[in-house]
Amino acid sequence: MTPLAATTQLLEIVGAALAAPAFLGWVNQCRAWLQNRRAPSLMQPYRGLRKLLNKDAILATNASPLFRAAPYVVFATMLVAAAIIPSMGTGLPMSTAADGIALVGLLATARVFLSLAAMDVGTAFGTLGARREMMVGFLAEPALLMVLFVAAMLSRTTSLPLIAETLAGQAPALYPSLAFTAVAFLLVMLAENARLPIDNPATHLELTMIHEAMILEYSARHLALMEWAAALKLFNYACIGFALFVPWGAGNEASGPIGLLLAVPLLAIKLAIAGAALALLEILSAKLRVFRAPEFLATAFLLAVLGLLVHLLLET
Amino acid sequence: MAVSFSSLQVCLALLAAWLVVGFAGLLRPRSIRFAGRTLFPLGALCGAALATVAGLSLGAAPESRVLELGLPGLPMHMRLDALSAVFLVLLGAASTAISVFSAGYFRKGEGTLPGLLCLEYHVFLAAMGFVLLADDAYSFMVAWESMALSSYFLVTTQHRIEEIRRAGFLYLLVAHVGALSILLGFGVLQGGSWQFTFDAMRAAHLDATWASIAFGLALFGFGAKAGLVPLHVWLPEAHPAAPSPVSALMSGVMLKTAVYGFLRVTFDLIGLQLWWWGLVALGVGLFTAFYGVIFAAVQTDMKRLLAWSSIENLGIAFAGIGLAIIFRGSGLGHLAVLALVATLYHCLNHAMMKSLLFLGTGSVLHATGERNLGRLGGLIHRMPWVAWMTLIGALAIAGLPPLNGFVSEWLLLQAFLFAGDVPHPFASMLLPAGAAIVALCAALAGYVMVKFYGVVFLGQPREASLSTARDAGFAERVGLGLLALGCVLLGLFPALIVPVLDGAVAGLLHVPTSRWGGPWWLLAPERARHATYGPPALCLLLVVAVVLSIYGLRLVYHRTVRRGPAWDCGHARSDARMQDTAEGFGQPIRHMFEPFFEMTRKLPSPSDPTPTYAVTVGDRAWKLLYLPIATAVHAVANAVAWLQQGRISTYLMYSFATLILLLAFVL
């Protein structure tokens, strides 16, 4: 492991953990502006986390150890996922241990733990949220996997940094398969991160919630970890999108420390644009009924499979 | 004087030892102590020894042996090669844990006498061993039938219950239809030489038509045992009927003998292979996997749910075999090895995790007397050991890293990634859609496991009687622990196990073995370019991240933890009946895949003073396939019934007429 690789790796993990709440804050800020409201500060999510960390934790009387362990497991999974997604540099030693398929597996692990924890206390809302989350998940997960499959077939590897490097190294040409999968990925990203039109992150109307319903029983530090993990998840998804569809500008061994230094502001710019676009997309769409969610996700799944077929039909 | 025994001899001796242990049960047939304290542990020891011996023989050359047993002139041929050894390891390892569990499981007054049960159980184990070692069609069929019969008696342990007798009969029926097909398959395979040893079959040259017929018969026959749709109907009936260790053994091990038989016939005995066979097996396998998992999602009986999940997993295994046949038939032998290694790994995984889950349900059943998910809940507080071990099994079967289910999924998807290399344009387009279905099934398996685990072990207890449930006894805990350990080890160290499987498969396909890359912690198959997976490292990363987040947060947060009533969004009254039920959890699946289910709804009328709502979900296979067959059989039987006049003189007339007819033929 070269010093540069170690630096990149460390930067990716710490950067993701620290920047994720800011990205969420930025999306909220953009959304407020677009809705003609006064926007909360970019630091608002950090303040929320600090407030939660300073509180006493309350656990339901019948909460099991699984309930207490879940926030740590979910957070750790998201952190490890952040470590293997090439956002700033492609020389990631840790990505040897887990490739793109394992990334999908890691996200699934987080989802399953979150759902199990939601069922643990045995309240109506928790179990309802768990059921809905798994319903969204079982269609979103294969769709994401198929998106990665297309990229893996294009670059003949499932290792994420190699995919990013291969795609960045090719002459910028329009791959029809990537166009299909980009739309599919966008839909998956909206659904998996509890954004509109599947879930409303701002609502507190219980019957329409998915993510909020699952973490209702959490408080204080456990809630802080869950919120932080959710922010990290959004950040991770954005970075997966960059690695697959706008892979240019990530640092590597060839570009050296300068490349890495340049990659940081470039990532910030990418995130700023992506966040603004996400906010725009959200204010333009209305929430779907829960029963319509499967159609939305089935569309994503079919688009991803279509991308795969288009790849085999036109690009080989 | 040092006496050396060959591995095959030791394996045969161990199978014989199982038989001896079984018959010893007859010495004191009523004593549950004798069976539980002495015989089942002895059986477990034999199993462990068998796994060890077979494992050690994995690198060695095949050995064969002729046993002068049975009918004169028809000796039994036995052969131990790498493929048999892999499945013997599976049998030995899984049965060890299940026998240990059984030592503490069987109680008084449950149908069959304990000594007799012990006999059936060990005959079942030995028969499975002989199936794996048989090297001629006679021994194979004898062992295969003993396996079916002994397991039939095990399924009908509680034979006083009508429903269980029916389930047992259905199982026996499907097993025999399958066995008939296998027998016919062997008849085709001997290719006119009338020699029924497997060596003669390997040497026989079949043309494409006959080879295809043999393949079809094998797919049907072994598919009936593996529960491929539409021959799956016995599984969801027989598994809930059988005692839990027997369900574990049937699901974990016996279904794998079908995979073994199918591999043996298609890759070893039939000389040639046509690539389109693979499409058939892949299609059937994928459909089975999908069908199995959506039905698992709507079940309300925990053992039935697991039975459907077994159907799904066997479907995945057959899909892997189908993929391997496509690759091999297209001249891509190295990719066929990748697909077969994934299949074998999946079989090993499934033996561990499904046995674990079935045993877990057994403990729950003993503690609560309930199989119905609607009457369980909150058992993680009452039965922590069972709950945590079952959690490992549930996470593993949901295909989550770093446990074992994910490894075989990873390998299979890697194999699918090369679908574009298949030289048949039609197939290379279709295959990636197969990968999509595999991914969908894996995700749905996660859904099923969250439902299963969440409803049984989490939440509030749905019945007051659950508060007296006790955790499992010592032997049961050890059995569960062993299987959970198996799940973890298979998950963490695939880099040590996969090369061994590669050797076995490469020998079967006559392809050179390949490197599986990297150090002991890294799975980097040479056959799949640029793909690496290092579960120990990944696990370490996760653990470090968890520890860091625990201790990192300690520096900043308020440490106190208080307990209080559940908040539930401020709703004052919240009881166990307000939790989501098993039916509710299955509702989205029922809604989305409605055409696959046969649903009957009972809706109350608006004026009903005591409204009830009920929905039952049935299997369409009954109406579409089995009932028409049954009706046709009835019709034929009725049509020939007029022959039976009930008068002896008429029957004598028939005999006389037949004789005349035969004489006319002869002369």
Side-chain angles (χ1 to χ4, degrees), chain A residues 303-315:
Chain A
L303 278 174
V305 174
L306 214 58
L308 202 61
L309 291 181
V310 167
H311 165 71
L312 287 166
L313 205 62
L314 301 178
E315 294 161 14

Side-chain angles (χ1 to χ4, degrees), chain B residues 4 154 198 203 207 227 234 262 290 293 299 310 334 407 435 472 482 485 511 532 544 568 580 600 612 652:
Chain B
S4 67
L154 285 170
F198 284 176
D207 60 17
W234 63 272
F262 190 61
F290 175 70
V293 77
Q299 297 306 310
S310 288
H334 57 291
V407 178
L482 283 175
L485 185 69
V511 172
T532 51
V544 168
D568 199 21
D580 209 350
T600 40
T612 54
L652 285 176

